Amino acid sequence: MAVWIQAQQLQGDALHQMQSLYGQHFPIEVRHYLSQWLESQLWDAIDLENPQEEFKAKRLLDSLILELQNKAEHQVGEDGFLLKIKLGHYANQLKSTYDRCPLELVRCIKHILYTEQRLIREATNSSSPVGGMMDSMSQKYQQINQAFEELRLLTQDTENDLRKLQHNQEYFIIQYQESLRIQAQLTSLATLPPADRQLREPALLSKRATVEAWLTREANTLQKYRLDLAEKHQKTLQLLRKQQTVILDDELIQWKRRQQLAGNGGPPEGGLDILQSWCEKLAETIWQNRQQIRRAEHLRQQLPIPGPIEELLNELNSTITDIISALVTSTFIIEKQPPQVLKTQTKFAATVRLLVGGKLNVHMNPPQVKATIISEQQAKALLKNENTRNNSPPESSGLFKCDSGSLKRIKRSDRRGAESVTEEKFTILFESQFSVGSNELVFQVKTLSLPVVVIVHGSQDNNATATVLWDNAFAEAGRVPFLVPDKVLWPQLCEAINMKYKAEVQSNRGLSEENLVFLAQKAFSSTSNNPDDYRSMTMTWSQFNRVSIMQLLEKIVSVTFSFNEWISVLPHSIKHFNHILAILGFVNKQQAQDMLMSKPNGTFLLRFSDSEIGGITIAWVAENPNKAGERMVWNLMPYTTKDFSIRSLADRISDLNHLLFLYPDRAKDEVFSKYYTPPLSKAVDGYVKPQIKQVVPDFATANPDPASGTPTYMDHGASPAPVNHSHSYGIYQPMSDPVLDGDGDFDLDDTMDVARHVEELLRRPVESQWGGQQS
């Protein structure tokens, strides 16, 4: 069954190709339910070009029909009834289609199996990330499906034993009633004359003895049947518990962990279809066994026989109820999490899902779902089965979907020490009640969302995001809400930052080792550019969230924003020109000097500002106007997002005529011209449109533009950075980056996939109506 297991994991075009193999000529349901049988037959042993092989093909066709009929007969329950009819229809359909040409059936199945194997081989190629995932998962999936097959066989075996027990018990009751009739006849002999009594009594006594002896033997046999059946059910329940542990405690927990990491920008957690199919199989098997145990209990009550069976059945009933209860309560999950940074007066939505709802017919009685926001302390109390007190609960009803409206206000708890409001964690509690099996069982289910931080103003967003990032990255399964380590190794934090970075700039290219060294220097106020120096260093939550750790390289000036804030704002700036900053963004002032001084005058690069949160600056090399023959590196006052809303980056670079070459040696117009704003049209209705341009006074040169008349300038200051290799800060080695080819040129084809809407961001300001945003 390995081929079919792997075929079900195909994705995208490969999945569509696989699905297109099936149709009325060979239904996919037949492939699914007879997968093991189909893959075990010797289809290749039949020569399709030899008409004499037709009898072999006919035997395989007959066997296929028989397998389908047997599969149909063994279906039980409401869903089983429908499947029984469907499989029976397919058996008749295949027989009428291929009875006169059985070789065509062999040809069809060989083509299907060959194509599936080819698609799987292509998907499992080492260069395919999907294939790599399938390689690691196929064996695990195969084990799970093999366990389900074993459970199916065990359940079918106990069903057959139960029917046999019921038949034998019914016959036993008939014979017992016969013994009562014989006893009644013997009693009635007392009214007969002695001669008649002596004539008829011996035969009745002999018959009674025979029947009673049979009843005694059969009672022992029935008791043995009952004990054997109970032992088989015990074995089935043990395997059910094991299978349920694998699915709920391993696979579902891993899915939830992937969901949490996805909140930090990790890969998507993946769909729930496979997990749901497993949970539904569990529910179906558990329910079948529960019904069997109840029927066995009914048979015992119908014919009580002294022995340990009553205690065994009570134990089985208790166990099966515990198993189904654990399944239902554990599979009530949040498919779509609410926002983890939740602003008051802002609407939010979430989606919850019961993975076993279909099999347990929960849809027949749509449940009401209530959402309540609770504090960390209340979440702890909830897990201890203590009473919780609601605080301004947003709640609504719906079938597995909660649109909670606006969070009006929140009552905060007394915070620990210097804990800020952006460090306080809440969670959304989802509650519902499900009844299954004609209200035989009623379940109260609850599930908690990932931690959320409630803010009242956008200025709190960065610190709230830091709280969420730290929690998502370092939370452990089964923790007490919402404990996380107070400090982590620097490489662990780098992994979390890198994940968030790639998600924010919407690129598969993460931070390079040089970038991470740059961040480490800021994080630890260090000058070392050796990555190994930071591998064993740790950073505490307090350092990450609060401590001002950046200083200007030239002057010892403390800045008032934290490392976390600096990190969190960068992606928003990167989006303006991330195909360039993916290469040169993480460069400090000293490194920029070292890189530019070996290049011709007019060479420039773009880098993140050390002193302006979210700022981007341009550094270039030029002559020192105050000292002939001396060259120096200049740094432009950092741009912010607000600046780009007034005039785009490309246009600003175009305005500055002293900027000639984008580092290392690319003509700037070659890189940026496609993003320049087209020249303004001529005057209309007597009005001349004004044009804003940027100039650096010390470097202003004539730049006539006939379309715009006399330009209006926006002054932007530049600061010199004299070269001083005795600087107290470390000198960086030239960076190596895979985006530069062997000649030191940019490979833009390779870097353009980093930017989403980069042309839009470079061609025009972020806000088309910028006039009101200059204040």
Side-chain angles (χ1 to χ4, degrees), residues 423-464:
E423 295 176 75
E424 187 178 5
K425 301 173 191 175
F426 294 86
T427 182
I428 309 296
L429 167 65
F430 294 93
E431 300 175 276
S432 189
Q433 176 175 297
F434 301 117
S435 59
V436 298
S438 300
N439 292 326
E440 291 180 33
L441 297 174
V442 178
F443 298 102
Q444 303 286 339
V445 294
K446 302 176 182 179
T447 188
L448 296 175
S449 74
L450 294 174
V452 300
V453 178
V454 179
I455 63 175
V456 297
H457 192 273
S459 62
Q460 299 172 315
D461 185 73
N462 286 337
N463 287 95

Side-chain angles (χ1 to χ4, degrees), residues 704-765:
D705 187 345
S708 61
T710 303
T712 301
Y713 291 106
M714 295 176 59
D715 291 349
H716 213 76
S719 63
V723 179
N724 180 5
H725 289 290
S726 62
H727 200 285
S728 60
Y729 291 89
I731 305 300
Y732 280 72
Q733 299 299 320
M735 292 193 307
S736 61
D737 194 287
V739 178
L740 298 180
D741 61 22
D743 298 325
D745 292 328
F746 288 89
D747 185 354
L748 286 183
D749 289 338
D750 186 43
T751 60
M752 287 304 291
D753 65 332
V754 179
R756 173 176 290 185
H757 309 307
V758 67
E759 295 195 10
E760 293 296 325
L761 293 168
L762 284 167
R763 282 197 177 105
R764 59 177 180 266

Side-chain angles (χ1 to χ4, degrees), residues 179-210:
S179 72
L180 294 178
R181 189 180 63 82
I182 294 172
Q183 183 60 44
Q185 289 177 343
L186 285 171
T187 302
S188 66
L189 290 180
T191 61
L192 296 178
D196 291 340
R197 186 168 66 246
Q198 290 177 358
L199 180 64
R200 299 177 59 184
E201 189 174 47
L204 288 174
L205 289 173
S206 176
K207 188 175 182 180
R208 185 181 69 175
T210 301

Side-chain angles (χ1 to χ4, degrees), residues 532-653:
D532 292 334
D533 291 344
Y534 303 105
R535 299 196 192 284
S536 60
M537 297 182 71
T538 60
M539 175 166 277
T540 66
W541 160 246
S542 179
Q543 288 174 315
F544 178 72
N545 191 44
R546 296 181 185 176
V547 178
S548 297
I549 59 171
M550 296 192 300
Q551 296 178 332
L552 295 178
L553 296 177
E554 297 289 341
K555 301 175 182 179
I556 308 301
V557 179
S558 296
V559 283
T560 58
F561 48 88
S562 69
F563 180 63
N564 149 62
E565 291 176 312
W566 190 79
I567 284 290
S568 64
V569 173
L570 287 184
H572 301 291
S573 301
I574 291 170
K575 289 179 182 178
H576 292 283
F577 52 113
N578 56 3
H579 68 298
I580 298 168
L581 281 188
I583 305 165
L584 298 178
F586 293 93
V587 178
N588 65 22
K589 187 180 291 186
Q590 182 64 44
Q591 186 180 8
Q593 291 178 189
D594 296 338
M595 296 167 67
L596 291 171
M597 285 303 295
S598 63
K599 298 298 178 182
N601 287 346
T603 303
F604 68 98
L605 57 79
L606 301 97
R607 67 180 185 87
F608 297 134
S609 169
D610 291 316
S611 57
E612 179 71 35
I613 184 167
I616 295 162
T617 188
I618 299 176
W620 72 95
V621 61
E623 296 292 334
N624 186 346
N626 300 320
K627 190 172 183 179
E630 180 181 283
R631 299 198 315 152
M632 61 192 306
V633 173
W634 298 75
N635 292 276
L636 200 62
M637 183 182 296
Y639 297 119
T640 64
T641 301
K642 181 179 178 181
D643 295 317
F644 293 133
S645 71
I646 297 173
R647 187 155 176 79
S648 71
L649 168 71
D651 288 337
R652 289 176 181 273
I653 292 175

